Structures are given as structure tokens and as C-alpha cells.
């Protein structure tokens, strides 16, 4: 095999794959990320409650700007909750898609 062919082969397949347990502290990192995710979900619950209150207050007081901001906040909080809950699935999906790229 020529040197050019070897370099070209390595460019397509460097032989690197994710492996669990390769570095110390992986369990600690998983716990930290899980805690951050939980903190985010709790913050989204608060943001959703506040946005819903602003939406209701704006609707009943005739404050169209407050009502619109409450609606936007509610949608953003719901979207954040969706992304936080689906984070593992999204990463796993795109990681699997990335393994198919050649």
C-alpha cells in the first residue's frame, strides 16, 4: 500500500470511537451534568409559572404587551423543557447519524 493510500485511508477512518471508562472521573462528570440538567428543569418550572402569571395578568388587566410577553415566555419555557428532557435522545440521535458519515 502506498503512503498516499494509507494517509487517504486514515482520513476516512482514523479508528477513533467513543469508549466509556477511558478517563478517570467519568462518573463524577455524569453526576454533575445530571445535576445541571435537573437545575435547568427546576428553573424552567419557575419560568413557566411566572410567564403564565404574566400572561393571565396581562389578559385580565388589558395589558396587551404583558399578555404578549407572557405568551412568549410560556412558549420559550415549554421549548426549554422539551430540549432539556430530550437532551440525551438528541445527542444520541446525532451521534448515531455522525457515525454514518463517510
Amino acid at each position: 500500500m502506498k503512503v498516499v493510500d494509507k494517509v487517504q485511508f486514515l482520513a476516512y477512518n482514523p479508528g477513533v470511537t467513543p469508549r466509556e471508562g477511558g478517563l478517570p472521573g467519568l462518573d463524577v462528570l455524569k453526576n454533575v451534568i445530571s445535576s445541571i440538567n435537573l437545575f435547568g428543569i427546576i428553573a424552567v418550572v419557575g419560568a413557566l409559572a411566572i410567564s403564565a402569571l404574566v400572561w393571565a395578568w396581562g389578559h385580565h388587566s388589558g395589558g396587551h404587551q404583558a399578555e404578549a410577553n407572557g405568551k412568549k415566555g410560556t412558549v420559550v419555557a415549554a421549548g426549554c423543557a422539551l430540549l432539556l428532557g430530550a437532551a440525551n435522545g438528541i445527542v444520541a440521535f446525532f451521534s448515531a447519524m455522525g457515525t454514518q458519515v463517510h
Side-chain angles (χ1 to χ4, degrees):
M1 199 179 223
K2 295 179 186 177
V3 174
V4 173
D5 292 335
K6 288 182 182 180
V7 170
Q8 202 171 29
F9 176 74
L10 284 176
Y12 290 115
N13 184 10
V16 177
T17 56
R19 187 178 68 140
E20 192 166 332
L23 292 174
L26 188 59
D27 291 332
V28 173
L29 183 60
K30 285 181 181 180
N31 286 335
V32 168
I33 296 301
S34 296
S35 298
I36 291 171
N37 194 3
L38 177 63
F39 179 76
I41 290 172
I42 292 170
V44 166
V45 169
L48 185 63
I50 291 170
S51 296
L53 286 172
V54 170
W55 183 0
W57 176 73
H59 177 75
H60 290 291
S61 68
H64 300 293
Q65 187 71 29
E67 183 179 2
N69 287 337
K71 285 180 187 179
K72 283 190 281 189
T74 302
V75 170
V76 168
C80 287
L82 176 69
L83 289 174
L84 285 169
N88 286 335
I90 292 169
V91 171
F93 172 77
F94 283 108
S95 178
M97 293 297 291
T99 60
Q100 297 177 9
V101 174
H102 294 287

